[in-house]
Amino acid sequence: MKALKIIALVVASFLVVILGGLFLFIKSFDLNKHLPQITKAASEAMGRELFIDHADLSLTRKGVALICEGIHIKGLVDVKRAQAGLDFGPLLSERRLNFNNIQLDSINVSIADPKMPLAIVIPQMKAAVSNFSLTEPYKVSVDFIFASSVENMHLTATMQLIPDRGKVVITDFVFESDLSQLDMALIRQMSPALSTAVLPVSVIGQASLTAARIDTGAKGLENIQAQLLINNAVVQLKELPAPISKGRIEATFNVTTMDISAFSASIGEGLIKGHGQVINYMQIPTISATTNINGIKIEDLIEQSRAPVVVKGKIMADVNISAQGFDPAVFLKTLKAKGDVAINEGVIEKLNIAKAVLGSTLGIIPGLTDALDGALA
């Protein structure tokens, strides 16, 4: 019994010495002196220059925390503040590295592509890493804010570092998002091309992206085989009187090409469906689609309240469409369509010949436009 007490006392004393030494080490260790060597090694591994303004270590209840102020990856990313905690429990008992409370604040991503420059702001990102290793795969989960005021993006994946080849291999990638939380005004601010693009006023629906494998390195994305699913989407476009509802898109894509195996949506009482392909989607895309339109009302597609004539009817069509670019001017200039189109139950109402011929000239005579409209009502 006395021997057990002595052993317990020795063990306790040993732990006190170890923890005390660790505490003094962390408190006295100046991480900033070693930042040049750390950032140099990281820069060589990434193939891009990395700078960190300031870094510090501190003890927490679970372990140790690393805090960095001002992280800059030249020409790509700036992060105002980042912190990460290392749990002592798994490290001491199972020799596993678990990082918790990873948080990055004010992430600014800049892509200086002359064809489509991007400036993306992510206010906050939270992450957790389990069983971190420099040689073996480890689990990662990430939640972040994108084009929204609330946390709206979630992903999980298994990652593995390949230091000798300067790349990261990602497997079992799953990304999910609630589209209703997107702010289109914030998306328009990301690029001059997006500021004039035809974007929805509002979107509702669920989006998921899964990938069996993604390879990325210093030169960017090297390989990806992924599946995209958008389901139960409701989209309101300013240009359309009726919302697009029951939207669904199924697609697979690699580094350059997206194959849309099926898309469908309702516009009013009608249905549009088809399949297509987007080539070179990361730059100036070439878009092609085979589309079937069944029973979509003209009045649900075209705003006619101010037109000199109101046309009604249901559109039936089989059309092959091709175009280039996301910019409306480029898209419309290159838009080509070929196929068969019919209008069933077609009717022309409120035909105002004077208004159609004279147009804005009617406004010169006060009250004439209203009088003509009233006579034909």
Side-chain angles (χ1 to χ4, degrees), residues 9-21:
L9 183 60
V10 170
V11 171
S13 301
F14 178 74
L15 289 174
V16 168
V17 171
I18 293 295
L19 293 175

Side-chain angles (χ1 to χ4, degrees), residues 144 152-156 173-177 207-210:
F144 62 99
N152 60 334
M153 305 283 168
H154 174 72
L155 68 87
T156 58
F173 179 92
V174 178
F175 168 83
E176 297 173 318
S177 176
S208 66
L209 178 67
T210 59

Side-chain angles (χ1 to χ4, degrees), residues 184 188 197-203 234-244 267 300-301:
M184 293 300 152
R188 288 189 182 278
V198 177
L199 295 179
V201 176
S202 62
V203 180
V234 179
V235 180
Q236 181 65 66
L237 291 169
K238 184 180 178 181
E239 294 77 10
L240 289 182
I244 300 171
I267 301 177
D300 287 336
L301 288 177

Side-chain angles (χ1 to χ4, degrees), residues 8-223:
L9 183 60
V10 170
V11 171
S13 301
F14 178 74
L15 289 174
V16 168
V17 171
I18 293 295
L19 293 175
L22 182 62
F23 176 80
L24 291 174
F25 170 77
I26 291 173
K27 284 297 183 182
S28 61
F29 181 73
D30 187 359
L31 185 58
N32 292 284
K33 289 183 179 179
H34 302 275
L35 277 182
Q37 298 97 306
I38 295 170
T39 54
K40 182 181 178 182
S43 298
E44 291 173 353
M46 292 189 299
R48 289 180 178 269
E49 289 186 80
L50 170 68
F51 303 95
I52 300 175
D53 295 341
H54 182 78
D56 197 12
L57 291 172
S58 65
L59 284 174
T60 66
R61 291 183 179 180
K62 291 185 175 182
V64 64
L66 169 65
I67 301 171
C68 296
E69 305 281 351
I71 302 172
H72 314 281
I73 300 176
K74 190 175 180 179
L76 187 61
V77 179
D78 292 292
V79 181
K80 183 179 180 181
R81 187 176 188 275
Q83 66 178 43
L86 172 63
D87 287 347
F88 280 160
L91 178 62
L92 296 174
S93 62
E94 304 173 41
R95 298 169 68 179
R96 291 188 293 111
L97 291 176
N98 283 0
F99 294 95
N100 63 80
N101 297 327
I102 300 172
Q103 181 170 314
L104 287 76
D105 298 321
S106 298
I107 305 168
N108 291 272
V109 181
S110 300
I111 301 175
D113 187 329
K115 296 175 181 177
M116 190 174 178
L118 288 173
I120 301 170
V121 178
I122 300 174
Q124 189 177 86
M125 178 182 289
K126 296 179 181 178
V129 178
S130 301
N131 301 330
F132 176 79
S133 171
L134 293 175
T135 57
E136 299 298 323
Y138 55 92
K139 301 287 185 181
V140 176
S141 66
V142 181
D143 295 279
F144 62 99
I145 299 170
F146 175 80
S148 178
S149 58
V150 297
E151 197 172 84
N152 60 334
M153 305 283 168
H154 174 72
L155 68 87
T156 58
T158 299
M159 301 181 71
Q160 183 172 7
L161 304 177
I162 315 292
D164 58 330
R165 296 169 62 185
K167 65 186 290 185
V168 178
V169 175
I170 303 171
T171 56
D172 301 325
F173 179 92
V174 178
F175 168 83
E176 297 173 318
S177 176
D178 181 353
L179 300 179
S180 65
Q181 296 171 338
L182 287 174
D183 186 335
M184 293 300 152
L186 294 176
I187 291 179
R188 288 189 182 278
Q189 295 173 14
M190 294 179 183
S191 173
L194 293 174
S195 66
T196 57
V198 177
L199 295 179
V201 176
S202 62
V203 180
I204 298 172
Q206 302 294 321
S208 66
L209 178 67
T210 59
R213 182 183 174 104
I214 302 172
D215 291 46
T216 183
K219 296 181 180 179
L221 190 62
E222 297 177 5
N223 172 56

